[in-house]
Amino acid sequence: CNFNQTDCFWPPRVFPILGRQGMADSTVAITEANQDSWTEAEWEEWRRREEQKKRAELPVGSAPSTDSIVSHVSFRICLKDRVMSVEPGRLFYSEIPRNIDPKIHEMLQPIFSHINREDHAERSALLHLTRAFLKRSGWEGSDDCSGWLRLYISHFPCISCVAVICQFVRFFPAIRLEIDFDNMWKTRFEPADKPGANRFLAEGGLAGRRRRIEQGNF
């Protein structure tokens, strides 16, 4: 079949062997022009591949929501230059820790924006840590706490959580707070296993994934 002949027909089943996107685009244009002459088997093949494409476009993870976001915390805190508390790593989820003193709730006040945000994972972590640190330093000793605290969040923090983080820094100015976060709108498309995630990123991430789907590589 000559590439210049618009009346030729390439069935959908040959799409995966096309090497270039330009050739694939030409193929789609040609097949769409000849759909009236397709056999039932060719229509069935086309429907099967369209269903495969839809499944391939679905994310493997959940959409960002209050219940699906998690915070990971590690720290090394000193009180007057003596080691007070060390945590190699702990996860915090969406909840309000029990038996938190009302004064601590006032120290880390959330912002109401469309919904109540007092139970976000970031605030949950900082409420717990503030209680633990003040229990050792005393209410007037937060300035004497120093060290580092690393906070990783599986989704970028909302305006309320940013405000809570700023309030924490106000009361513990000598603690170096290091924050990193992801974007679950993108990371939910990554494979769960490390080799798969590494391959996903090496092939261009979400943009590369969409490009492979368009080329018929599901």
Side-chain angles (χ1 to χ4, degrees):
C1 176
N2 190 321
F3 288 116
N4 295 323
Q5 293 177 347
T6 58
D7 57 344
C8 69
F9 169 71
W10 297 343
R13 57 181 171 271
V14 305
F15 288 180
I17 66 174
L18 296 173
R20 299 180 181 178
Q21 181 61 38
M23 187 180 295
D25 291 340
S26 299
T27 303
V28 173
I30 292 171
T31 54
E32 287 179 350
N34 290 270
Q35 285 181 342
D36 291 341
S37 61
W38 284 6
T39 65
E40 182 59 33
E42 289 165 345
W43 273 111
E44 182 62 29
E45 177 68 12
W46 180 83
R47 285 191 289 266
R48 184 184 66 81
R49 289 191 59 79
E50 285 296 305
E51 186 62 30
Q52 286 181 333
K53 183 177 180 181
K54 289 180 182 179
R55 289 197 299 268
E57 291 175 345
L58 295 175
V60 295
S62 59
S65 65
T66 299
D67 293 336
S68 64
I69 296 172
V70 61
S71 293
H72 179 272
V73 171
S74 61
F75 58 80
R76 186 179 188 274
I77 304 299
C78 298
L79 177 61
K80 296 182 177 180
D81 298 326
R82 297 182 61 180
V83 176
M84 178 181 74
S85 184
V86 177
E87 173 59 67
R90 177 172 177 176
L91 296 175
F92 290 88
Y93 300 89
S94 169
E95 63 177 357
I96 300 177
R98 291 177 295 178
N99 303 321
I100 294 290
D101 192 294
K103 293 181 181 179
I104 297 178
H105 280 288
E106 293 178 2
M107 292 170 65
L108 305 178
Q109 297 182 35
I111 295 175
F112 184 91
S113 179
H114 304 295
I115 60 172
N116 196 334
R117 301 170 186 268
E118 63 180 0
D119 60 344
H120 283 193
E122 301 93 310
R123 185 169 186 263
S124 175
L126 294 180
L127 284 173
H128 175 86
L129 298 182
T130 299
R131 175 176 59 183
F133 297 162
L134 292 180
K135 185 176 182 180
R136 293 164 175 80
S137 69
W139 290 100
E140 303 300 326
S142 61
D143 289 353
D144 297 323
C145 296
S146 60
W148 54 265
L149 191 159
R150 297 188 179 110
L151 173 63
Y152 165 77
I153 314 163
S154 60
H155 188 58
F156 52 81
C158 67
I159 185 62
S160 177
C161 292
V162 171
V164 169
I165 290 169
C166 292
Q167 292 171 76
F168 178 86
V169 172
R170 172 193 174 194
F171 290 107
F172 296 93
I175 295 179
R176 185 177 73 250
L177 181 57
E178 304 171 5
I179 301 177
D180 197 7
F181 51 82
D182 263 312
N183 182 347
M184 286 182 66
W185 291 114
K186 294 183 178 180
T187 56
R188 69 192 187 125
F189 289 95
E190 293 184 17
D193 60 297
K194 184 171 177 56
N198 290 339
R199 184 175 63 254
F200 175 85
L201 296 175
E203 293 176 348
L206 186 56
R209 179 178 182 272
R210 288 173 177 167
R211 185 167 55 251
R212 291 192 301 276
I213 291 175
E214 291 173 357
Q215 293 173 350
N217 300 318
F218 305 146

